[in-house]
Amino acid sequence: MNSLPIQHLFPALQSALASSSQLILQAPTGAGKSTALPLALLDWPQVSGKILMLEPRRMAARNVAHFIAKQRGETIGNTVGFRVRGESKVSANTRLEVVTEGVLTRMIQQDPELSGYELIIFDEIHERHLTTDLGLALALELQSSFRDDLKIIAMSATLAGLPLHGLMPNAVTLESEGRSYPVSIEYRAVGAQQEWLVHMAQVIVTALQQHPQGSLLAFLPGQGEINRLAQQLSTRLDPKEYHIAPLYGSLPAAQQDSAIAPATDGRRNVVLSTNVAESSLTIEGITLVVDSGYKRQASFNPKTGVTRLSLKRISQSSSAQRAGRAGRLCPGHCIRLWGQEDQGRLLQADEPEIVLGDLTSMVLDGAYWGVSALTQLPLLSPPSAANEAVAWSLLTQLQLVDEKRKITAHGRAAYQLGCHPRLAHMLLTAQQWQQADSSTPLLALAAVLAGVIESRSRARRGADISGYLGDARHGESAQLARSYLTRIDGQGRGKGDLAQAISQAHPDDISVLLALAFPDRIAKARGVSGYQLAAGVGVTLNTDDSLSGAPWLVVADFQESQGQSSGRVYLASRLDPACFNDSLKSLVTEHIDCGWDDNQARFYALRQRRVGAVVIDQQPIAQLDAAQIKQAIYGLIRAKGLAMLNLDDKVTQLRQRVALARQYQLAGDWPAMDDEALLADLSTWLGPYLDNVRRLTQLQALDFYSLLHNLLPWDLQQTLAQHLPTHWPMATGTRANIEYEPSGRALLSVRLQEALGMAQSPTLAQGKLVVTMALLSPAQRPLALTADLANFWAGPYLEVKKEMKGRYPKHLWPDDPANTVPTKFTKKKTLSNG
């Protein structure tokens, strides 16, 4: 530990901590920033209070804490401890707590003064997890308000593309050298006809033969690929020589510890890992790295409200981190399963999770903190606006925040549970229902369902969630379920309550509880295996699934895949629609659906009961009133588009001119007249003219030019006529038509002889738009197209004149067109008029 590069920075670090409350430290792999620095801080006089160090991954937090405690000759939980989700090893004596970022945000929310803590260290901040960004934002707000004595250290392997200085402009910045040995890089791209996982197995076997010393670390995108590769390698590697060790986040702690421990019995470790091994985690004895170049990236789709897991290429930054794992102890070797020319095409760095991820939990954090928009927090990157809007909408639907985005009492209680807001709402509502009627153990059943849904080690055996309830008798699902029960009522109830809930679980109770958590995923059957969700999107079940053919479902888990139009259902429950008249009636809304029946050529209206976009039942309305006919017309136009109104060219030109007025920012408040804007605002511009419309022919006969032109106040009408006119006055007296094209081009068509004497092409929109001139022959045939008339006269005109002079000898073809008087007559008539 005393020889690590970070040691050389200790005097500068001590000086910075004495003079500044913010410090940015760049320290590459092997510098010792995650181990030697926090170990030393415990003995520095500049830090007398407790220290929190944040690690982005649970596995790294546990590993780092154990390592530092061992260096001090102590057991974990004494001076050094850790806190991660589901496990805590701290005591009254603990001064250094290694935690995950989610733990920090909850600590700050519970105690906005963070009493007793003097220093917060953010390790591996470049990984940009949601909780990293949020934790740093809350820590900075805490420092600027309640705790100006609080110190913050932000540490990263690289500062490239990381806007830390924007958030911490007064921070002291220090840079340490890393300690790593040279790593040779070899590129072994997958063949065109070869499956990459099979290729990877071959490369690993060959690499172990060619490099007989040290252990091997292989990077794969996920647990599924790890398990398949482990199976392939188990038939090709002698278990007496090689220990194949999977490593991923949902593995039990004992198996994780086994994977990162030194090789024993003379065997070499072959560690098959996700990107959990990219940074802080130290794995003993690694000298070989084989990198698939893939990661599993979660991207939230705001249209469906679900996170899509996609196989993506890693970034250049990530590939450098992975390769560096081979050079921690001695010179190493890294094999990349892509071509060297592909390396430069990789993204420089990974996109931050705040741009891609589901923001529901983060938004609830923000509401609990007191903000109504995440942009009110000092964040490293702005969040996805679409994803944030969906999150606020869901929290409002679940009554966790009100219409003004202020957290409710229900929302505060949900936050305390520490699970996804959907599940928290389900648990709290189940508690309320059970208090009103204790005959059914709804709360314990809700805890079981939450444990099953949240479990990351769940095996797949059909979509029916009732087939997984038994998992909550033991293992991760049971641990989660018991923790929820303890948090919600503080009674520490355990196995007995869960066992009773599992044995007495009724399908109706299961589906109603799931509908509380997933009201937007109530689904009605359509087609053979398809369903429409209340959110408006489609999902499918496997045709051989036990739930296939059920008229109604509640979907707790579905995934979208690249190239698939519908998501695949993985967890669901059969739903009895009778619940819409009873326990789920609060989710039901009534609508009047109006439209046009093509078959009967008439307007119709239906009184519908819906849950979201799904129709529960409907009744026809015999006699439509004027308001319903208007709604029917709006529905018809939105369904078929504005084209069904038969808008003429005059209307099209008006809309194009207004679009150009907006584009070139002519003075005034110009309304949008594009399709999207007009369809969204039919009641404003069209509604007042529909009072007597009863037939399509009447609708299509309306004067749409006047309707739209009247949207412009008088001053804008005059501005439009002046700066974007419909015609251009030629010197000959002709009013030449100007056609405004969708591309934004203004096209003036006129006979060439009438353009004589014009030195330059006309300009519109206060000189911002140059008119393109279509110069025509005397017979109105196209001769030339130019937006630079001066250049045309000086060059291309000579060829036009040579060709046209013989064809049209009676017309003017002057040698100096720019200085010739224009005419719309023949030479003879022009001379006689002269």
Side-chain angles (χ1 to χ4, degrees), residues 240-530:
K240 295 179 180 178
E241 297 183 37
Y242 302 99
H243 170 55
I244 300 172
L247 183 60
Y248 46 85
S250 61
L251 269 180
Q255 288 179 251
Q256 293 177 0
D257 293 342
S258 173
I260 64 177
T264 58
D265 304 326
R267 294 192 299 171
R268 301 168 67 187
N269 281 343
V270 179
V271 182
L272 309 181
S273 177
T274 61
N275 55 9
V276 297
E278 268 188 26
S279 49
S280 298
L281 199 64
T282 299
I283 304 178
E284 300 288 346
I286 299 298
T287 60
L288 275 171
V289 165
V290 176
D291 187 356
S292 71
Y294 289 116
K295 65 178 178 179
R296 190 78 66 203
Q297 180 171 286
S299 301
F300 182 75
N301 184 346
K303 293 182 179 179
T304 60
V306 72
T307 296
R308 171 186 293 178
L309 292 176
S310 304
L311 197 64
K312 296 287 187 180
R313 277 295 187 187
I314 61 173
S315 65
Q316 293 185 37
S317 173
S318 184
S319 69
Q321 288 277 352
R322 292 181 174 189
R325 307 306 288 179
R328 296 293 289 270
L329 302 174
C330 62
H333 186 66
C334 172
I335 303 173
R336 292 172 172 167
L337 303 187
W338 60 93
Q340 187 168 0
E341 67 281 0
D342 296 324
Q343 177 68 15
R345 300 190 188 109
L346 301 177
L347 292 175
Q348 289 290 330
D350 293 324
E351 291 182 279
E353 195 176 352
I354 198 169
V355 174
L356 301 171
D358 178 1
L359 300 180
T360 308
S361 294
M362 187 178 189
V363 162
L364 183 59
D365 262 293
Y368 194 92
W369 188 249
V371 301
S372 58
L374 293 179
T375 49
Q376 295 170 4
L377 295 170
L379 294 166
L380 280 167
S381 301
S384 160
N387 293 5
E388 182 178 355
V390 169
W392 284 111
S393 177
L394 177 61
L395 294 186
T396 304
Q397 184 180 10
L398 299 179
Q399 300 178 343
L400 303 180
V401 300
D402 62 20
E403 295 295 334
K404 295 182 179 179
R405 296 184 172 182
K406 183 178 180 181
I407 195 165
T408 61
H410 184 56
R412 289 187 174 277
Y415 178 82
Q416 299 296 337
L417 292 182
C419 56
H420 193 282
R422 289 180 182 272
L423 302 181
H425 171 65
M426 175 184 70
L427 288 160
L428 290 169
T429 306
Q431 182 187 38
Q432 294 167 10
W433 286 355
Q434 186 166 305
Q435 289 169 348
D437 179 6
S438 59
S439 61
T440 304
L442 285 179
L443 176 56
L445 178 58
V448 167
L449 293 173
V452 169
I453 292 168
E454 291 258 283
S455 173
R456 296 194 298 171
S457 57
R458 183 178 71 242
R460 288 183 183 173
R461 46 180 181 272
D464 192 343
I465 197 171
S466 63
Y468 298 84
L469 300 188
D471 294 354
R473 297 181 188 274
H474 50 75
E476 184 185 20
S477 296
Q479 182 184 359
L480 289 167
R482 286 196 296 269
S483 71
Y484 295 144
L485 278 180
T486 300
R487 287 181 218 168
I488 202 166
D489 64 10
Q491 297 180 19
R493 299 179 303 173
K495 293 183 178 179
D497 296 283
L498 297 179
Q500 180 187 7
I502 293 168
S503 61
Q504 296 182 8
H506 191 279
D508 288 350
D509 293 332
I510 294 172
S511 59
V512 167
L513 288 173
L514 290 182
L516 294 173
F518 304 98
D520 52 332
R521 298 185 191 172
I522 292 172
K524 186 178 182 181
R526 63 178 184 187
V528 179
S529 60

Side-chain angles (χ1 to χ4, degrees), residues 689-816:
Y689 305 94
L690 296 178
D691 291 340
N692 297 314
V693 172
R694 294 294 181 271
R695 297 186 301 276
L696 282 186
T697 52
Q698 291 176 305
L699 173 64
Q700 293 169 336
L702 291 174
D703 182 1
F704 290 105
Y705 177 84
S706 296
L707 266 62
L708 294 178
H709 195 250
N710 290 340
L711 291 177
L712 303 177
W714 174 253
D715 60 328
L716 291 190
Q717 292 181 15
Q718 298 307 301
T719 300
L720 191 67
Q722 179 183 355
H723 295 295
L724 291 163
T726 58
H727 294 80
W728 184 264
M730 305 300 293
T732 58
T734 296
R735 293 180 70 248
N737 181 66
I738 301 175
E739 181 181 357
Y740 295 90
E741 299 179 335
S743 64
R745 185 172 72 173
L747 186 65
L748 188 156
S749 299
V750 68
R751 284 179 293 188
L752 182 145
Q753 282 73 20
E754 294 194 65
L756 296 173
M758 295 179 68
Q760 299 287 346
S761 300
T763 60
L764 305 175
Q766 297 174 328
K768 299 172 183 175
L769 174 61
V770 178
V771 172
T772 299
M773 298 191 69
L775 299 175
L776 310 177
S777 73
Q780 306 279 8
R781 300 287 189 270
L783 293 179
L785 197 67
T786 179
D788 186 350
L789 196 56
N791 181 64
F792 173 75
W793 292 140
Y797 168 72
L798 300 177
E799 291 299 319
V800 172
K801 180 182 72 169
K802 185 186 303 181
E803 183 179 346
M804 292 292 110
K805 200 170 184 179
R807 185 176 299 179
Y808 299 101
K810 295 180 181 181
H811 290 78
L812 282 176
W813 301 99
D815 294 333
D816 186 9

